[in-house]
Amino acid sequence: MSGNLLTDHPELYEAQFPDHDRIAARWAEDVLLRHGAGHRILDAGCGTGRDAHWLHRQGRDVLGIDLAGTMLDHARTRHPGPDYRRADLRTFDLGRTVDAVLCLDSALLYCHTNDELTGFLDSCRRHLAPGGLLVAEMRNGAYFLGRTDLLDRPRTRDLTWQGTTHTSTTTLRVDRTAQLLRRRRVWTSDAGTPPVEQHSAWRLLFPQELRNVLASAGFEVLELHDGPGPRTDPAWRPGGPAPTGTADGDRLHLVARLSP
């Protein structure tokens, strides 16, 4: 059987990837404050709505978009406040203007082709106010140049949820022709249910490639570095070290401003 167990069960998603201190949203808020962004925010690929909800509680006017209806239903119920809509981040047309677009946890990398990436940036440009920001956090394609530590072996993780222990076995491989990092994840459980196999992929973008794409789309890159960020080790923390300026780690953090 194939499917996306985490997307179909948002509570399980939040248990598998906890962020009790809302580090991702707090990191994004810090970026927005440092660069003087206005209060209207689009969270593109908002998932369960945790980050959108936290930003809303800081007084921001937040619109969250996602393609997964189950995630949006969960967001409206468990993380209310923002305006949640079903939309594709590659082609969204929302009929409003925002001061910043957030694209966290590698959501940008679901734009697998050049046309899809161009579509996303075109959509951002249509919706951003003059001088608006694009803030993204994602895997770093450059990390996989000569490194195989994330590819060498399957990774297994156990999670007990609602009395059932779920085991995920994840394998990553690089598809060099398509420039994608492909993931195969198989879920089993001690309840004896049939295995669930999930396939997904992220575009592998390199720092200089990303700079060129953004410049062509009318954006000025303000920051592009490997951390610290919400998913680095050590993770970003308020008042912690400034960004390193390097792009060698497995995460990449982008801040770009729409040129006048």
Side-chain angles (χ1 to χ4, degrees):
M1 185 169 81
S2 63
N4 191 325
L5 188 66
L6 296 180
T7 300
D8 293 343
H9 300 88
E11 298 89 349
L12 179 60
Y13 179 96
E14 292 191 340
Q16 177 82 345
F17 303 111
D19 186 8
H20 302 300
D21 294 329
R22 299 294 184 265
I23 296 299
R26 293 166 69 191
W27 171 82
E29 175 72 1
D30 180 73
V31 171
L32 295 172
L33 289 174
R34 283 194 291 108
H35 291 282
H39 74 287
R40 301 169 300 173
I41 306 300
L42 171 62
D43 185 358
C46 64
T48 64
R50 293 182 299 187
D51 300 330
H53 174 74
W54 191 91
L55 292 164
H56 167 79
R57 293 190 63 183
Q58 308 313 301
R60 295 193 179 274
D61 176 9
V62 185
L63 168 60
I65 62 171
D66 205 281
L67 268 179
T70 50
M71 291 289 211
L72 293 172
D73 289 343
H74 176 88
R76 295 182 184 109
T77 302
R78 298 292 298 275
H79 304 294
D83 177 10
Y84 294 109
R85 303 187 197 178
R86 188 175 188 274
D88 191 326
L89 65 84
R90 296 163 293 192
T91 58
F92 60 88
D93 187 0
L94 307 170
R96 60 176 292 185
T97 302
V98 298
D99 299 303
V101 176
L102 301 181
C103 208
L104 305 178
D105 197 17
S106 294
L108 172 62
L109 304 185
Y110 288 108
C111 298
H112 289 173
T113 67
N114 292 340
D115 286 345
E116 290 176 347
L117 183 57
T118 297
F120 168 73
L121 293 174
D122 286 347
S123 294
C124 289
R125 192 169 57 245
R126 288 195 303 270
H127 290 77
L128 280 170
L133 294 179
L134 169 60
V135 179
E137 180 266 334
M138 69 198 91
R139 287 184 177 273
N140 180 11
Y143 183 80
F144 294 91
L145 294 173
R147 290 190 179 96
T148 62
D149 55 293
L150 297 179
L151 311 172
D152 288 338
R153 64 188 186 280
R155 296 174 184 267
T156 300
R157 181 175 180 179
D158 293 329
L159 171 68
T160 300
W161 179 66
Q162 295 185 347
T164 299
T165 298
H166 300 267
T167 300
S168 63
T169 302
T170 302
T171 305
L172 300 174
R173 69 177 180 89
V174 173
D175 180 342
R176 292 178 176 82
T177 301
Q179 205 169 310
L180 295 176
L181 180 66
R182 295 194 182 275
R183 180 180 67 189
R184 176 180 180 265
R185 177 176 285 156
V186 179
W187 289 91
T188 57
S189 78
D190 61 4
T193 55
V196 176
E197 185 172 329
Q198 173 196 346
H199 293 268
S200 56
W202 298 278
R203 174 73 179 265
L204 291 178
L205 291 169
F206 301 97
Q208 291 303 316
E209 174 188 18
L210 193 52
R211 286 183 181 277
N212 183 63
V213 169
L214 287 161
S216 297
F219 287 86
E220 175 192 3
V221 174
L222 306 177
E223 296 184 22
L224 188 61
H225 55 79
D226 56 10
R231 295 171 181 85
T232 60
D233 185 16
W236 172 89
R237 65 182 188 275
T244 61
T246 62
D248 194 53
D250 66 342
R251 307 298 295 190
L252 196 60
H253 310 84
L254 164 72
V255 184
R257 189 182 304 279
L258 183 64
S259 302

